[in-house]
Amino acid sequence: MHVAYWIVASLLALFYAYAGGKKLLQSKEQLQPMMGWVDRVPMPQVRLIGGLEVLGALGLLLPPLTGIAVGLAVAAAVGLALVQIGGTVLHLSRGEARVIGLNIALLVAAVAAAWLGTGWL
């Protein structure tokens, strides 16, 4: 289970560090082509989402690596699952049902990481 956790958590952390970093560092105009929803969401909220994604990525990896507060890895995975639920709701409210595939895949991966992470507890 530990190997499976590290595979899922590493892939999720890589994705969220990249996506969250973009939301933290790029302007609305730079994000617009890739994330059409930023036109409706205030930039402070976009930055908050990016920060939560980066913190979630760190939370997936650092507690198990250090052996300190390993339960935070499960909390990080649950938090990232909640981010994807919010993203799915946002896309559906915009009539973008065709683009929620990535949200669903990330949601499933985050739930899997949370479940696999319980092996650390």
Side-chain angles (χ1 to χ4, degrees):
M1 262 179 59
H2 290 284
V3 172
Y5 174 81
W6 282 112
I7 292 169
V8 174
S10 297
L11 291 173
L12 277 174
L14 237 139
F15 176 84
Y16 281 113
Y18 174 76
K22 286 182 78 70
K23 291 177 187 96
L24 284 173
L25 301 174
Q26 292 187 335
S27 68
K28 182 180 276 199
E29 292 75 27
Q30 291 171 311
L31 293 171
Q32 186 78 37
M34 188 178 195
M35 302 171 200
W37 55 270
V38 299
D39 64 345
R40 280 198 173 161
V41 177
M43 278 311 286
Q45 190 173 354
V46 173
R47 303 268 190 245
L48 174 65
I49 294 166
L52 292 172
E53 289 176 344
V54 169
L55 288 173
L58 292 171
L60 288 172
L61 301 179
L62 291 180
L65 277 175
T66 62
I68 300 170
V70 293
L72 289 177
V74 174
V78 170
L80 292 172
L82 292 173
V83 167
Q84 288 312 312
I85 291 169
T88 301
V89 169
L90 175 71
H91 285 303
L92 291 175
S93 73
R94 290 174 48 95
E96 300 171 341
R98 60 181 169 67
V99 299
I100 64 169
L102 179 60
N103 297 95
I104 300 300
L106 290 168
L107 173 62
V108 168
V111 169
W115 178 71
L116 291 167
T118 59
W120 292 108
L121 301 177

